[in-house]
Amino acid sequence: MTNVQEIIPQNLQAEVGSALAWFNSRENASFEVTGIVNPPTASNSGEDLRLVLCGEGVCRQETFKVTGSDGAPTVAWLGLDHAQDSVGVAELDPPPGARKAWLADVAGQHSFAVLLFYRGFW
């Protein structure tokens, strides 16, 4: 069963931060990590990091491998694992944390809002 956590475990925060910084630099974007899918139990375990990244009106699941020390990490973008394309998609489209914050902002600005969710675009 897919385990999606909105809060990044303390022991993985450095690796997740490195992956996010690398991804934002490569994509020239400002995504935020809003979840992690099946997080590894230990840092520097060599296991893949499956992150839920939201920003610029879209949420995406991306997979990274972070190796090396905290001072000089090496990030490899593994892309989406196509064998798991449909696993857990409903939970990630968009993640509850990002949806709640966005909806609270919009509801505070308008007397009503129309919501349309379609495959990660909102």
Side-chain angles (χ1 to χ4, degrees):
M1 181 171 184
T2 302
N3 173 20
V4 181
Q5 295 182 12
E6 290 182 46
I7 298 174
I8 306 302
Q10 184 69 30
N11 63 326
L12 298 174
Q13 287 185 357
E15 292 177 57
V16 169
S18 296
L20 177 64
W22 181 91
F23 185 79
N24 279 335
S25 175
R26 182 187 183 284
E27 296 292 305
N28 193 24
S30 58
F31 283 89
E32 295 179 10
V33 176
T34 61
I36 185 167
V37 181
N38 297 332
T41 55
S43 61
N44 297 322
S45 65
E47 294 182 54
D48 297 348
L49 294 175
R50 291 175 53 198
L51 305 177
V52 180
L53 305 176
C54 291
E56 303 183 9
V58 67
C59 290
R60 358 180 348 175
Q61 179 182 241
E62 299 292 346
T63 306
F64 302 91
K65 184 174 290 286
V66 180
T67 56
S69 66
D70 289 343
T74 302
V75 177
W77 183 23
L78 305 177
L80 185 62
D81 181 355
H82 296 290
Q84 297 183 4
D85 277 353
S86 61
V87 175
V89 171
E91 296 176 79
L92 304 175
D93 197 355
R99 182 183 335 141
K100 289 177 188 173
W102 178 81
L103 185 55
D105 290 344
V106 170
Q109 297 172 4
H110 306 284
S111 58
F112 72 93
V114 176
L115 304 176
L116 175 64
F117 296 91
Y118 178 71
R119 301 185 64 149
F121 294 93
W122 45 295

